Amino acid sequence: MATITYTVTVATGTTQYGTGNRYYINGELAPVLYLQEGNTYIFDTSDSTNDTHIFAFSTNPNNDPAAPYTTGVTTTGTSGQTGSNTTIVVAPVKRTGAPVLFYYCTVHSGMGGSAQTIPPTSETTEYNPQIDDIIEEAYERTGVMGTRTGYQLRSARRSLNIMFQEWGNRGVHLWKVKLAKIPLVEGQAEYNFASDSTNFPQDIDSVLEAYYRNNSTPTAPVDVALTKIDRSTYSQTPNKLSKGTPSQYYVERKLNPSIFLYTTPSSSVSSTTTPSNFQFCFYYLAKIQDAGSYNFTSDVVNRFYPCMMSGLAYYLSQKYSPDRSQELERRYESELLRALDADNQGTSTFISPQTFYGDGV
């Protein structure tokens, strides 16, 4: 838990108690404080304006009627002198939490304000539900309650894997975009995992864009964009093994994709001694990993959690509660649309107006 220090001073001010000497916390007139349970708060009262004023806590506003709060509170030194402070460790009461507090001066009325106590946060941002939690949430959304049979669990995991495949067909998911760098081999047209299992990825779903890199001068690499062509265009190239500097590529989409370069690398753009000097580089959309065991976590980023659970609920409803399928489908599509929109990569756009010139008449 954290330790936070506030500077306390006293000056004239107007609050709900009227005008007079009032506490200022970090320069702000009698603000509402928010004290988190478990944290330590040090109220530095060493400023000379605190002389004759004693900072304390109560469970009643302005301590009226008197109800001083001393749990976890310690006072050090004399107010207005170097080293003086009032420290409170906000301790929650079992089941109810810490009470609402008020800070006040034990000598003079009307100087303080309120100090709301709040439960602690988790201090983590790593929420990543396991597959069994995802399945349980999805079943509850379908209205199917009770203990899950082994078959129902297997059925849900199968549906989740099918949905992940569907997501791959929907479009780009930025967290699954990866960059591959393949050494160029003189005269080689086809590149795939079988020909280079060290550098060629096995999890390709689709290739997004590619370029040729001349890295022979590491401090000044040169990248040249390659043009993607379809099967028909590649099939019509007259000599697919002609050598030169690659300028086009064709992706043969199959279970284990192959990428064909045209032209094939010549000796001047390939290297056997230093493979990293000349590379075929491409960004690709990787496949989403299968659900796996029930105690695994999903290969999905946070922004897709809501639609993942809604989507699985929709898939399960088709088998177990078809009367709710239409409603769950609408929710799924709506949440998936929001996730895909959040998954987009924003760029600056400048729109120039069209300009028309007259004919001089």
Side-chain angles (χ1 to χ4, degrees):
M1 292 297 180
T3 299
I4 298 96
T5 299
Y6 289 113
T7 299
V8 181
T9 55
V10 176
T12 300
T14 301
T15 65
Q16 70 269 32
Y17 301 116
T19 301
N21 281 335
R22 301 291 180 257
Y23 278 127
Y24 285 73
I25 309 296
N26 286 352
E28 184 179 353
L29 172 62
V32 176
L33 301 178
Y34 295 92
L35 309 182
Q36 182 175 300
E37 295 174 8
N39 282 353
T40 298
Y41 296 90
I42 302 172
F43 293 87
D44 183 349
T45 56
S46 61
D47 188 86
S48 60
T49 58
N50 289 289
D51 186 31
T52 74
H53 304 292
I54 301 176
F55 191 92
F57 291 96
S58 172
T59 54
N60 286 329
N62 200 31
N63 195 37
D64 184 20
Y69 183 82
T70 58
T71 303
V73 179
T74 57
T75 300
T76 303
T78 302
S79 291
Q81 297 183 14
T82 301
S84 68
N85 65 71
T86 296
T87 298
I88 179 172
V89 179
V90 185
V93 178
K94 189 176 182 180
R95 294 190 180 89
T96 62
V100 175
L101 299 177
F102 301 86
Y103 57 96
Y104 72 104
C105 175
T106 64
V107 181
H108 306 93
S109 177
M111 289 187 60
S114 65
Q116 304 288 330
T117 56
I118 56 177
T121 59
S122 66
E123 305 291 341
T124 65
T125 57
E126 300 300 322
Y127 176 65
N128 193 1
Q130 294 183 345
I131 298 301
D132 56 354
D133 289 330
I134 295 169
I135 291 173
E136 189 67 25
E137 174 68 17
Y139 267 119
E140 288 178 359
R141 295 188 185 195
T142 64
V144 178
M145 308 300 288
T147 304
R148 313 284 170 236
T149 65
Y151 175 78
Q152 285 178 315
L153 293 175
R154 291 193 301 274
S155 175
R157 188 174 61 178
R158 182 173 64 248
S159 293
L160 188 59
N161 284 329
I162 294 172
M163 187 179 71
F164 286 159
Q165 294 295 321
E166 187 227 353
W167 283 8
N169 297 331
R170 289 265 187 160
V172 175
H173 307 307
L174 292 184
W175 87 92
K176 296 301 294 183
V177 175
K178 299 181 182 179
L179 174 63
K181 299 179 180 180
I182 314 300
L184 290 174
V185 179
E186 181 181 357
Q188 181 173 319
E190 182 178 1
Y191 294 80
N192 52 34
F193 184 77
S195 64
D196 186 356
S197 59
T198 301
N199 300 288
F200 199 93
Q202 196 174 16
D203 59 346
I204 295 178
D205 185 71
S206 61
V207 177
L208 304 176
E209 50 194 337
Y211 57 92
Y212 151 74
R213 168 165 287 185
N214 183 338
N215 202 38
S216 54
T217 305
T219 57
V222 177
D223 295 338
V224 179
L226 301 181
T227 302
K228 188 175 185 178
I229 58 177
D230 58 21
R231 181 177 62 244
S232 176
T233 302
Y234 182 74
S235 68
Q236 295 173 25
T237 56
N239 183 358
K240 295 176 177 57
L241 296 181
S242 60
K243 297 181 181 180
T245 299
S247 60
Q248 298 175 319
Y249 70 99
Y250 155 60
V251 180
E252 185 178 55
R253 300 191 66 178
K254 52 186 180 181
L255 186 60
N256 295 303
S258 289
I259 302 177
F260 294 82
L261 295 181
Y262 184 80
T263 55
T264 66
S266 65
S267 59
S268 61
V269 295
S270 60
S271 174
T272 55
T273 57
T274 310
S276 61
N277 278 355
F278 303 96
Q279 297 173 320
F280 168 50
C281 306
F282 59 90
Y283 287 99
Y284 69 96
L285 180 62
K287 298 174 182 176
I288 299 176
Q289 296 175 14
D290 297 340
S293 297
Y294 298 112
N295 62 337
F296 287 0
T297 56
S298 60
D299 183 28
V300 173
V301 294
N302 291 17
R303 59 184 175 272
F304 276 80
Y305 283 166
C307 69
M308 174 175 59
M309 295 175 186
S310 291
L312 182 56
Y314 162 59
Y315 273 56
L316 292 175
S317 70
Q318 297 178 71
K319 294 183 277 189
Y320 299 105
S321 52
D323 57 310
R324 302 193 61 183
S325 287
Q326 190 172 7
E327 172 196 354
L328 291 171
E329 181 183 20
R330 284 197 302 267
R331 292 182 181 180
Y332 166 50
E333 292 295 341
S334 175
E335 291 186 355
L336 180 60
L337 183 62
R338 284 198 296 270
L340 291 172
D341 185 60
D343 203 45
N344 288 332
Q345 184 168 288
T347 58
S348 299
T349 302
F350 300 92
I351 300 176
S352 299
Q354 285 184 306
T355 303
F356 298 92
Y357 297 93
D359 56 6
V361 177

